[in-house]
Amino acid sequence: MKNKLAHLGVLLLLSPLGLLAQDDRHLTLEEIIHMAANQSIEAKSADTRVLGRQLEIESAKSKQLPDAKLSGQYMAMTTPNVNLKMALGEGGSAPDIAANQLWLGQASVSMPIYTGGKIKGGINIAKDVLKAEEWKAVASKEQLASRAIGLYLSLYKAQQTNLLIAENIKQSEQRVSDFKAMLDNGLIARNDLLKAELQLSNYQVSLQEAQKNIKVLNYQLANFLKIDENTQLDQINLNEVAGIDLGLKASYETAKTDRSDVKSLESQRLVAEDQLKVTKAATLPTVFASAGYNAFGLQKVVTVTNAASVGVGVSYDIGSLYKNKREVHIAKNRIKEIDENLELLNDKVKVELQQANENYLLAQKQDLVYHQAVDQAVENYRITKDKYDNGIADTDDLLTADVQQLQSKINLAISKANTIEKYYDLLLANGSLNIK
């Protein structure tokens, strides 16, 4: 008897138990998934990173625009010695000039005409980086949704366990009351009453622990979803969870095309390919058109205005012909690394799919067994109670049957939540979890 109660106590302590919350707010599982993917700090951080990659595209595109510069200077100087080399005419002599002020003004425009594909490649890199970040954000949000599902279903387990313990406490209290009356009438020994009282005490301790744990769990879920931390979630009804396909089986063919982590890594490979093209383009010349306007003046000596110019320039880094080979090798090696990571990821996907399929199938089988176990435990308690009332069974048999009945009901409540949780784990592994 003592071992049975201890076993029940361990079960209750290991279960995410909690006190039944007040009816302050009702949330469905679909709402929980949406909130986790949009309101949590991690989700907002993922969106911020995506926005950063979008801004990088605009920055890459801006390199197609011309560069324009304006500059001007004014300088005061000591009076220099001015020796004019130009002829001043017959008998002329150089005037005494106090040229101690100089000003300069310049405006220039430079427009790239040909860059060997470096600018276009930079834009493509930025676009592919954005795609990779978007898929990475989706993968992150899917994991957040999975965490929220786990917390939500744990809260359901806690609420159901709390209800079952509370119900059993009422029955135990009635049993203690009945035993006291039977003891007063000399029908049972005092030891039988003490056993019933001990069982009631164990139930009460388990309920107290449950009440503490469910408060913690409720707080964790509220904090995770970034809602008021004082919010009390009301009784969860898993009958609201629709669309559960008991025959669903994850497929590798589906997963390798739909999983966001695979798509993110594939986008990273495109980035590496674009980077290789840009690296190779470094050996090509750059052609640009330029135009400018210059003006300057030296006090009492010369003033130049309307000095406009227009032309074409070529820049060619000859050193890149022998220096760039190492950079090309680095870019090629990066592609090889990503290919190897893709192969590792595909192996990981296969393992996760097989495990998710087996876990989902096992959860369904266990649920059927737990349904049968409840019927068996309820019938066993009824028979034992009849035997006890007829003096065939003793108090230990009765209390043991009561513990088994409670434990079977708790197992069934937990099993129902586990089946749903494994279903969503299967969707996650298959790349089919809808977080919108």
Side-chain angles (χ1 to χ4, degrees), residues 259-290:
R259 280 186 53 142
S260 51
D261 52 352
V262 174
K263 290 183 177 180
S264 177
L265 195 54
E266 289 174 344
S267 296
Q268 291 180 36
R269 192 187 192 285
L270 294 177
V271 173
E273 291 176 350
D274 292 334
Q275 186 61 57
L276 176 60
K277 294 177 182 178
V278 171
T279 302
K280 290 180 177 180
T283 60
L284 300 175
T286 300
V287 180
F288 57 91
S290 62

Side-chain angles (χ1 to χ4, degrees), residues 1-14 206 403-404 407 411:
M1 176 62 198
K2 184 177 180 180
N3 290 336
K4 289 292 183 179
L5 291 174
H7 180 64
L8 174 62
V10 171
L11 173 66
L12 297 178
L13 290 174
L14 292 178
S206 296
V403 171
Q404 292 173 341
Q407 184 172 321
N411 288 342

Side-chain angles (χ1 to χ4, degrees), residues 413-424:
I414 292 175
S415 175
K416 184 175 183 179
N418 282 344
T419 302
I420 294 177
E421 185 173 15
K422 298 309 178 184
Y423 171 75
Y424 279 96

Side-chain angles (χ1 to χ4, degrees), residues 42-162:
E42 294 93 335
K44 292 180 180 179
S45 178
D47 290 335
T48 300
R49 290 193 294 271
V50 170
L51 177 59
R53 302 295 87 79
Q54 291 173 341
L55 296 175
E56 288 176 3
I57 292 179
E58 299 304 318
S59 176
K61 289 181 177 179
S62 68
K63 294 181 180 180
Q64 296 174 311
L65 302 176
D67 293 326
K69 297 180 180 179
L70 288 174
S71 64
Q73 297 182 57
Y74 171 82
M75 294 176 285
M77 306 181 297
T78 58
T79 303
N81 296 322
V82 179
N83 183 8
L84 296 177
K85 300 300 183 179
M86 66 182 66
L88 298 177
E90 186 176 349
S93 60
D96 185 11
I97 302 173
N100 57 6
Q101 296 182 44
L102 174 67
W103 60 269
L104 302 169
Q106 185 179 37
S108 63
V109 178
S110 178
M111 179 71 179
I113 298 176
Y114 174 76
T115 62
K118 289 188 283 291
I119 293 179
K120 182 180 179 180
I123 295 173
N124 290 335
I125 288 175
K127 289 180 178 180
D128 289 333
V129 167
L130 173 61
K131 291 179 182 178
E133 193 65 55
E134 287 175 338
W135 286 119
K136 183 179 178 182
V138 172
S140 177
K141 290 181 178 183
E142 288 173 343
Q143 293 296 329
L144 292 171
S146 181
R147 284 172 53 190
I149 291 170
L151 285 172
Y152 184 78
L153 294 176
S154 293
L155 181 57
Y156 167 81
K157 298 173 189 177
Q159 293 173 343
Q160 291 297 314
T161 306
N162 179 80

